[in-house]
Amino acid sequence: MKKICLVSDSGGHLEELLEISEAFQEYKIIYLTYDDVFTRDLDNAYRITFAKNIGLSVIFLCLRVFWIMLKERPDFIISTGSYIAIPAFYFGKFILKAKLIFVECSAQVFTASRTGRWVYPIADLFLTQWESLLKCYGRKARYVGGLI
Amino acid sequence: MIYVTVSGCSKHFLRLLKKIDEIAAEIEEEVIMQTGTDYVPKNAGFKKYFSRKETNQLMQKAALIVAHAGIGTIISAVKLEKPIVIVPRLKKYGEHFNDHQLEICKALENQKGIKVVYDLDCLKEALMFREKTNWPPEKRQNLIIEIRNFLNSFS
């Protein structure tokens, strides 16, 4: 069974991933997210504690993400956003040769997210949830629909 | 019952909570708030955070949901076909890192079942809002089908 790693922040981004999970019921799913009250009840989840005082913690975050990717070796990585997706996507693409799907969060209506801009060049499927967002990206980005 | 939620953002949204508490004293309907901070409302039931299960139960019970303009809550309300009033968190009050919640408010301004409140002086009146949503299911289905087709093209 092919394996999908779902990567996101907790809160809205995670909620969106859970919503689209209808699309991959026949795959093995693991989550990579942050540790907080909203993610504790997820099964098969790696929960990373992330101190907000940036600096060193970014390096630790990346190392943690690399290690998890190496251990799990997902075939696909899917994200709706937040920074944790950036190391996961780059490592997944160049080391694991995983296929990458990025769906811009539906909160991004007119402006691109920073994570979206980071992963756009390497994503294999890049979708926005509003047509108005397409002008921020190149031809690879597509709009077919959205959750709201 | 009116369920008010500001979710798990690391910033406060006291402006909304205080205003709701003020209004709760003036209306008959029961108000329950998820505060996300140590703020203690005087006229409403509250908890700092509700679990996913509790949140779902409260939303199902609610006649109206009032929330910050966060995607998670909006999606849940839409799925449950509940009317929702959304109030954007604003950077100038220290409620968020930026003003991105205004984007989704603008996009949803004319959507049935959603009322966007920019000015809290209009909030009391907005709490009477009970319009049902009518979301076209195709938008959601198309997104899911697109992702499924992409995944299946590798098997």
Side-chain angles (χ1 to χ4, degrees), chain B residues 93-110:
Chain B
Y93 299 117
E95 294 158 355
H96 219 307
F97 302 101
N98 53 41
D99 282 328
H100 83 266
Q101 288 202 343
L102 288 171
E103 273 190 41
I104 193 73
C105 286
K106 185 144 189 267
L108 297 175
E109 256 171 15
N110 299 316

mmCIF file of all heavy atoms in Angstrom, chain B residues 93-110:
data_model
loop_
_atom_site.group_PDB
_atom_site.id
_atom_site.type_symbol
_atom_site.label_atom_id
_atom_site.label_comp_id
_atom_site.label_asym_id
_atom_site.label_seq_id
_atom_site.Cartn_x
_atom_site.Cartn_y
_atom_site.Cartn_z
ATOM 1 N N TYR B 93 -4.847 45.644 16.309
ATOM 2 C CA TYR B 93 -5.212 45.389 17.702
ATOM 3 C C TYR B 93 -4.383 44.254 18.308
ATOM 4 O O TYR B 93 -4.701 43.750 19.376
ATOM 5 C CB TYR B 93 -6.698 45.031 17.811
ATOM 6 C CG TYR B 93 -7.639 46.112 17.334
ATOM 7 C CD1 TYR B 93 -8.481 45.908 16.258
ATOM 8 C CD2 TYR B 93 -7.684 47.348 17.990
ATOM 9 C CE1 TYR B 93 -9.350 46.899 15.820
ATOM 10 C CE2 TYR B 93 -8.536 48.344 17.560
ATOM 11 C CZ TYR B 93 -9.369 48.120 16.478
ATOM 12 O OH TYR B 93 -10.229 49.107 16.054
ATOM 13 N N GLY B 94 -3.369 43.818 17.588
ATOM 14 C CA GLY B 94 -2.520 42.728 18.088
ATOM 15 C C GLY B 94 -3.232 41.383 18.075
ATOM 16 O O GLY B 94 -2.896 40.485 18.841
ATOM 17 N N GLU B 95 -4.200 41.226 17.174
ATOM 18 C CA GLU B 95 -4.982 39.988 17.150
ATOM 19 C C GLU B 95 -4.430 38.946 16.184
ATOM 20 O O GLU B 95 -4.846 37.792 16.200
ATOM 21 C CB GLU B 95 -6.435 40.317 16.771
ATOM 22 C CG GLU B 95 -7.126 41.146 17.840
ATOM 23 C CD GLU B 95 -8.327 41.933 17.336
ATOM 24 O OE1 GLU B 95 -8.605 41.931 16.119
ATOM 25 O OE2 GLU B 95 -8.982 42.567 18.186
ATOM 26 N N HIS B 96 -3.521 39.373 15.342
ATOM 27 C CA HIS B 96 -2.883 38.444 14.411
ATOM 28 C C HIS B 96 -1.579 39.049 13.916
ATOM 29 O O HIS B 96 -1.304 40.216 14.165
ATOM 30 C CB HIS B 96 -3.805 38.129 13.231
ATOM 31 C CG HIS B 96 -3.730 36.681 12.812
ATOM 32 N ND1 HIS B 96 -2.540 36.064 12.523
ATOM 33 C CD2 HIS B 96 -4.686 35.724 12.670
ATOM 34 C CE1 HIS B 96 -2.771 34.798 12.210
ATOM 35 N NE2 HIS B 96 -4.061 34.561 12.309
ATOM 36 N N PHE B 97 -0.795 38.233 13.212
ATOM 37 C CA PHE B 97 0.493 38.724 12.706
ATOM 38 C C PHE B 97 0.305 39.614 11.480
ATOM 39 O O PHE B 97 1.153 40.399 11.114
ATOM 40 C CB PHE B 97 1.387 37.540 12.338
ATOM 41 C CG PHE B 97 1.616 36.623 13.505
ATOM 42 C CD1 PHE B 97 0.908 35.432 13.618
ATOM 43 C CD2 PHE B 97 2.499 36.981 14.508
ATOM 44 C CE1 PHE B 97 1.098 34.601 14.713
ATOM 45 C CE2 PHE B 97 2.690 36.151 15.603
ATOM 46 C CZ PHE B 97 1.989 34.965 15.712
ATOM 47 N N ASN B 98 -0.834 39.421 10.806
ATOM 48 C CA ASN B 98 -1.120 40.233 9.618
ATOM 49 C C ASN B 98 -2.633 40.340 9.455
ATOM 50 O O ASN B 98 -3.375 39.849 10.300
ATOM 51 C CB ASN B 98 -0.475 39.586 8.376
ATOM 52 C CG ASN B 98 -0.880 38.128 8.233
ATOM 53 O OD1 ASN B 98 -2.040 37.767 8.458
ATOM 54 N ND2 ASN B 98 0.054 37.279 7.876
ATOM 55 N N ASP B 99 -3.065 40.947 8.381
ATOM 56 C CA ASP B 99 -4.507 41.142 8.194
ATOM 57 C C ASP B 99 -5.107 40.152 7.198
ATOM 58 O O ASP B 99 -6.069 40.460 6.508
ATOM 59 C CB ASP B 99 -4.779 42.582 7.737
ATOM 60 C CG ASP B 99 -4.710 43.559 8.910
ATOM 61 O OD1 ASP B 99 -5.051 43.148 10.036
ATOM 62 O OD2 ASP B 99 -4.306 44.714 8.706
ATOM 63 N N HIS B 100 -4.512 38.943 7.121
ATOM 64 C CA HIS B 100 -4.971 38.023 6.073
ATOM 65 C C HIS B 100 -6.414 37.558 6.264
ATOM 66 O O HIS B 100 -7.052 37.128 5.320
ATOM 67 C CB HIS B 100 -4.018 36.836 5.916
ATOM 68 C CG HIS B 100 -4.255 35.728 6.889
ATOM 69 N ND1 HIS B 100 -3.581 35.646 8.074
ATOM 70 C CD2 HIS B 100 -5.115 34.688 6.852
ATOM 71 C CE1 HIS B 100 -4.025 34.582 8.721
ATOM 72 N NE2 HIS B 100 -4.948 33.979 8.020
ATOM 73 N N GLN B 101 -6.964 37.682 7.482
ATOM 74 C CA GLN B 101 -8.357 37.242 7.663
ATOM 75 C C GLN B 101 -9.334 38.124 6.880
ATOM 76 O O GLN B 101 -10.456 37.709 6.604
ATOM 77 C CB GLN B 101 -8.724 37.198 9.146
ATOM 78 C CG GLN B 101 -8.045 36.038 9.872
ATOM 79 C CD GLN B 101 -8.756 35.638 11.157
ATOM 80 O OE1 GLN B 101 -9.559 36.385 11.689
ATOM 81 N NE2 GLN B 101 -8.454 34.451 11.660
ATOM 82 N N LEU B 102 -8.885 39.314 6.516
ATOM 83 C CA LEU B 102 -9.748 40.188 5.711
ATOM 84 C C LEU B 102 -9.989 39.608 4.317
ATOM 85 O O LEU B 102 -11.020 39.846 3.700
ATOM 86 C CB LEU B 102 -9.122 41.579 5.586
ATOM 87 C CG LEU B 102 -9.145 42.452 6.848
ATOM 88 C CD1 LEU B 102 -8.295 43.697 6.651
ATOM 89 C CD2 LEU B 102 -10.574 42.833 7.221
ATOM 90 N N GLU B 103 -9.002 38.820 3.842
ATOM 91 C CA GLU B 103 -9.120 38.232 2.498
ATOM 92 C C GLU B 103 -10.299 37.288 2.405
ATOM 93 O O GLU B 103 -11.115 37.377 1.488
ATOM 94 C CB GLU B 103 -7.853 37.432 2.147
ATOM 95 C CG GLU B 103 -6.787 38.267 1.527
ATOM 96 C CD GLU B 103 -5.644 37.425 0.979
ATOM 97 O OE1 GLU B 103 -5.878 36.367 0.377
ATOM 98 O OE2 GLU B 103 -4.494 37.856 1.163
ATOM 99 N N ILE B 104 -10.375 36.382 3.368
ATOM 100 C CA ILE B 104 -11.456 35.397 3.316
ATOM 101 C C ILE B 104 -12.794 36.079 3.590
ATOM 102 O O ILE B 104 -13.817 35.699 3.021
ATOM 103 C CB ILE B 104 -11.167 34.207 4.272
ATOM 104 C CG1 ILE B 104 -12.110 33.035 3.986
ATOM 105 C CG2 ILE B 104 -11.276 34.583 5.734
ATOM 106 C CD1 ILE B 104 -11.812 32.300 2.731
ATOM 107 N N CYS B 105 -12.776 37.124 4.401
ATOM 108 C CA CYS B 105 -14.021 37.866 4.667
ATOM 109 C C CYS B 105 -14.546 38.466 3.371
ATOM 110 O O CYS B 105 -15.732 38.390 3.058
ATOM 111 C CB CYS B 105 -13.776 38.971 5.687
ATOM 112 S SG CYS B 105 -13.575 38.334 7.351
ATOM 113 N N LYS B 106 -13.617 39.064 2.613
ATOM 114 C CA LYS B 106 -14.018 39.680 1.356
ATOM 115 C C LYS B 106 -14.589 38.629 0.405
ATOM 116 O O LYS B 106 -15.608 38.849 -0.247
ATOM 117 C CB LYS B 106 -12.797 40.376 0.733
ATOM 118 C CG LYS B 106 -13.107 41.155 -0.503
ATOM 119 C CD LYS B 106 -12.262 42.431 -0.586
ATOM 120 C CE LYS B 106 -12.747 43.309 -1.726
ATOM 121 N NZ LYS B 106 -12.035 43.065 -2.986
ATOM 122 N N ALA B 107 -13.930 37.464 0.365
ATOM 123 C CA ALA B 107 -14.370 36.403 -0.543
ATOM 124 C C ALA B 107 -15.746 35.854 -0.157
ATOM 125 O O ALA B 107 -16.479 35.360 -1.007
ATOM 126 C CB ALA B 107 -13.344 35.273 -0.562
ATOM 127 N N LEU B 108 -16.096 35.932 1.117
ATOM 128 C CA LEU B 108 -17.337 35.302 1.581
ATOM 129 C C LEU B 108 -18.465 36.287 1.873
ATOM 130 O O LEU B 108 -19.541 35.884 2.302
ATOM 131 C CB LEU B 108 -17.053 34.474 2.842
ATOM 132 C CG LEU B 108 -16.092 33.297 2.661
ATOM 133 C CD1 LEU B 108 -15.805 32.636 3.994
ATOM 134 C CD2 LEU B 108 -16.647 32.277 1.680
ATOM 135 N N GLU B 109 -18.197 37.556 1.614
ATOM 136 C CA GLU B 109 -19.169 38.599 1.942
ATOM 137 C C GLU B 109 -20.580 38.331 1.425
ATOM 138 O O GLU B 109 -21.553 38.593 2.108
ATOM 139 C CB GLU B 109 -18.694 39.940 1.377
ATOM 140 C CG GLU B 109 -18.133 40.845 2.442
ATOM 141 C CD GLU B 109 -17.469 42.071 1.825
ATOM 142 O OE1 GLU B 109 -17.676 42.357 0.631
ATOM 143 O OE2 GLU B 109 -16.726 42.734 2.565
ATOM 144 N N ASN B 110 -20.671 37.796 0.213
ATOM 145 C CA ASN B 110 -21.999 37.613 -0.376
ATOM 146 C C ASN B 110 -22.489 36.172 -0.322
ATOM 147 O O ASN B 110 -23.451 35.810 -0.975
ATOM 148 C CB ASN B 110 -21.993 38.098 -1.827
ATOM 149 C CG ASN B 110 -21.656 39.579 -1.881
ATOM 150 O OD1 ASN B 110 -22.180 40.355 -1.096
ATOM 151 N ND2 ASN B 110 -20.747 39.951 -2.768
#
